[in-house]
Amino acid sequence: MNIETLISRAAGEAVQALYGMEASEKMLQLQKTRSEFEGNLTLVVFPFVKAARKSPELTAQEIGDYLVAHCAAVSKYNVVKGFLNLSVGQGAWLQLLEAIDHDDHFGTKAATEGSPLVMIEYSSPNTNKPLHLGHVRNNLLGWSLAQIMEANGNRVVKTNIVNDRGIHICKSMLAWQKWGEGETPESSGKKGDHLIGDYYVLFDKHYREEVKQLVAQGMDEEQAKQEAPLIKEAHQMLVKWEQGDAEVRQLWAKMNSWVYAGFDETYRRMGVSFDKIYYESQTYLRGKAKVEEGLEKGLFFRKDDGSVWADLTDAGLDQKLLLRSDGTSVYMTQDIGTAEMRYEDYPIDQMIYVVGNEQNYHFQVLSLLLDRLGFKWGKDLVHFSYGMVELPNGKMKSREGTVVDADDLMQLMVDDAYRTSMELGKFDDMTEEERREIARIVGMGALKYFILKVDARKNMLFNPEESIDFNGNTGPFIQYTYARIRSILRKAPLSSPEGDTIDKAACKTIEAPSGAVGGALSDKEIELIQKMNEFPAAVEQAGKDYSPSGIANYCYELTKVFNQFYHDYSILNEPDAQKRQVRLVLARNVAKIICCGMSLLGIEVPERM
């Protein structure tokens, strides 16, 4: 039992014994004592004043006296109006440190067979272009959210829906057919997704030229966009695809295979993966059938032109198109089909879609439709809505080829990490192989942390130069602190550089120095234990809020508190053996928690930097 729970329960007993009042858990919640007052934890006593029939100050004093007498964790108290500031005794802090030290999975909960099954969809790329910076944020958020939900005791299935059909796919196919001259990833030396993306941009270039010529001939621009020969050919190709034309389907399969190979390489480098991948080409027909079924049951209606709609006006929304008049599907249709396939594959308790905030309305509608179609989790589906990523020089545009490519961005981050580390002299005693590996870990850590530390709901400005910084709220700052602690522990007497794996993270702990933890603690050491003790609550809150940023900011706060402690107190050069031992245990567990916390963000921590 942690200190907060112990004291909270004792406070409940105090209120019952003193005033005959049954206090709720919410009334007994403790806060961290404000820095200007003495104490570690504060209890607000205003909820008990009426039952006590005494002033807030006297009520606080009576509860404080009871706690000092009956709760071993409380050593003393002071009262500021209706706030009871409690000081936790040294023995309780040392016991807490030992409990943290003996728990290799501190802060996380293991899933059981009966745990809720949560499915998380993220990535959702199109097969006409490579992944870009926007996809990077999506993938990092989705992967981190999956780790956080698992750490909260859920079973998790990570899934992806690939948008592999439609007019945008045909644009790349047609451009390659016209101007590709048989070019392949092998002949060009390009990743397959990059190669296809180049033809998507090439299509748009020629298409805009055609539109410009038609406008110059006197045609209205909107009409020109519809009448341009290229767009007509692309539509014809899409019709052939829908009809199962063998030649078009063969070309489609070949070019998509190039893209998937490129995607896989990018995902591996990014450190994300999926348990199940669905494809729009396999789900859209299921969606159409589900809509027809809903139509027969009277859930939807057909207009005179043959199109099928859902009337959502009773829910405060409008009417939503589900099938066009020619019978072709829309995105909503595809999502319904995908949902049905997923529900058949997995007994889902909760579905979380990681999709940008421009789709807020779409998922509001989807939730209602799935609920009406009988999916038990439909009404409670979660749209993990996130803001867009912008750059110092403006927004990205795929058609014009001005996107920030994910592969290029990751390489830039790794190169910047290598260059910065060399300039700071951090690579002086390393082999070139070690330098490259650490540059990879630090560069990717800088990228992931910079993106994940921002509240996902907000738009963000990504600046690569700011992210590679060994000071401040950055990934390298936290990674460097971890590496520093590892160095200290390797040099410590009675310690071994090997140890057990913590949770799923590829990181190690040090064997504890022999003997029990003991000795007097300084205020900075108590502050550090208290901050470590907040980790389970941070993980739980991040799961409730779907907030990777909560974990990122906790890791930063813990790192700051450790560095303040390390600035004021020596560890290896402390002459008192007992104090030195306590500090080694403190350092080891800070490293353990940093490693676990950063792994929830998908970030590796290096053994040395």
Side-chain angles (χ1 to χ4, degrees), residues 211 214-228:
V211 170
L214 291 173
V215 171
Q217 293 169 15
M219 188 178 289
D220 174 77
E221 184 174 355
E222 286 305 313
Q223 185 183 2
K225 288 180 179 179
Q226 300 296 323
E227 296 297 326

Side-chain angles (χ1 to χ4, degrees), residues 101 352 359 366 397 552:
D101 187 49
I352 302 175
Q359 295 294 325
L366 180 62
K397 295 182 181 178

Side-chain angles (χ1 to χ4, degrees), residues 456-527:
R457 294 167 296 184
K458 298 178 179 177
N459 289 350
M460 68 171 293
L461 184 70
F462 180 74
N463 189 330
E465 293 179 6
E466 289 181 11
S467 66
I468 300 286
D469 192 338
F470 288 84
N471 296 296
N473 191 5
T474 66
F477 172 67
I478 297 170
Q479 290 173 316
Y480 181 68
T481 298
Y482 176 86
R484 169 187 277 172
I485 294 173
R486 292 291 291 164
S487 176
I488 291 168
L489 295 173
R490 282 193 293 270
K491 297 172 184 175
L494 302 175
S495 66
S496 162
E498 301 300 328
D500 299 326
T501 299
I502 300 172
D503 204 17
K504 297 180 301 177
C507 53
K508 301 172 183 177
T509 58
I510 305 299
E511 293 293 332
S514 59
V517 176
L521 296 169
S522 67
D523 289 344
K524 287 286 175 69
E525 289 165 327
I526 289 173
E527 183 184 8

Side-chain angles (χ1 to χ4, degrees), residues 90-91 93-102 512-521 529 577-586 588-589:
Q90 293 267 328
W93 288 123
L94 290 169
Q95 287 177 4
L96 176 58
L97 177 58
E98 282 193 301
I100 294 171
D101 187 49
H102 289 126
S514 59
V517 176
L521 296 169
I529 296 172
Q578 197 172 45
K579 288 183 179 179
R580 183 173 63 250
Q581 179 184 319
V582 169
R583 291 172 190 172
L584 286 168
V585 175
L586 277 168
R588 181 176 68 251
N589 284 283

Side-chain angles (χ1 to χ4, degrees), residues 379-391:
K379 194 172 184 180
D380 298 320
L381 73 78
V382 175
H383 173 206
F384 181 68
S385 174
Y386 64 90
M388 297 297 100
V389 187
E390 296 180 1
L391 297 158

Side-chain angles (χ1 to χ4, degrees), residues 59-208:
T59 303
Q61 288 173 15
E62 289 183 343
I63 297 173
D65 287 337
Y66 184 98
L67 291 175
V68 170
H70 295 89
C71 182
V74 178
S75 61
K76 58 182 179 177
Y77 72 88
N78 68 84
V79 176
V80 180
K81 297 183 179 179
F83 299 91
L84 175 59
N85 300 319
L86 304 168
S87 294
V88 177
Q90 293 267 328
W93 288 123
L94 290 169
Q95 287 177 4
L96 176 58
L97 177 58
E98 282 193 301
I100 294 171
D101 187 49
H102 289 126
D103 186 354
D104 287 343
H105 305 282
F106 178 69
T108 65
K109 301 171 187 174
T112 63
E113 193 173 322
S115 296
L117 179 63
V118 179
M119 179 175 279
I120 302 175
E121 175 194 293
Y122 57 97
S123 198
S124 308
N126 297 324
T127 57
N128 63 323
K129 55 190 175 185
L131 303 180
H132 56 63
L133 177 55
H135 290 112
V136 171
R137 190 178 198 191
N138 180 293
N139 280 277
L140 297 184
L141 286 170
W143 176 264
S144 179
L145 185 60
Q147 309 314 303
I148 290 168
M149 297 304 287
E150 274 196 6
N152 278 284
N154 298 285
R155 294 176 296 146
V156 174
V157 176
K158 302 182 291 292
T159 185
N160 184 1
I161 174 70
V162 178
N163 300 302
D164 63 341
R165 60 172 288 278
I167 189 67
H168 50 298
I169 310 300
C170 291
K171 289 177 180 179
S172 294
M173 292 165 58
L174 184 60
W176 183 86
Q177 211 173 44
K178 284 181 171 294
W179 304 295
E181 298 180 353
E183 186 178 25
T184 67
E186 290 75 21
S187 69
S188 65
K190 294 179 182 178
K191 283 177 78 242
D193 51 334
H194 287 236
L195 179 67
I196 302 306
D198 288 346
Y199 283 101
Y200 182 64
V201 173
L202 187 61
F203 176 94
D204 190 66
K205 177 184 175 183
H206 286 282
Y207 171 57
R208 281 187 291 163

Side-chain angles (χ1 to χ4, degrees), residues 234-246:
H235 279 292
Q236 289 168 3
M237 179 177 279
L238 178 60
V239 170
K240 287 183 178 180
W241 185 94
E242 295 262 1
Q243 295 171 343
D245 181 272

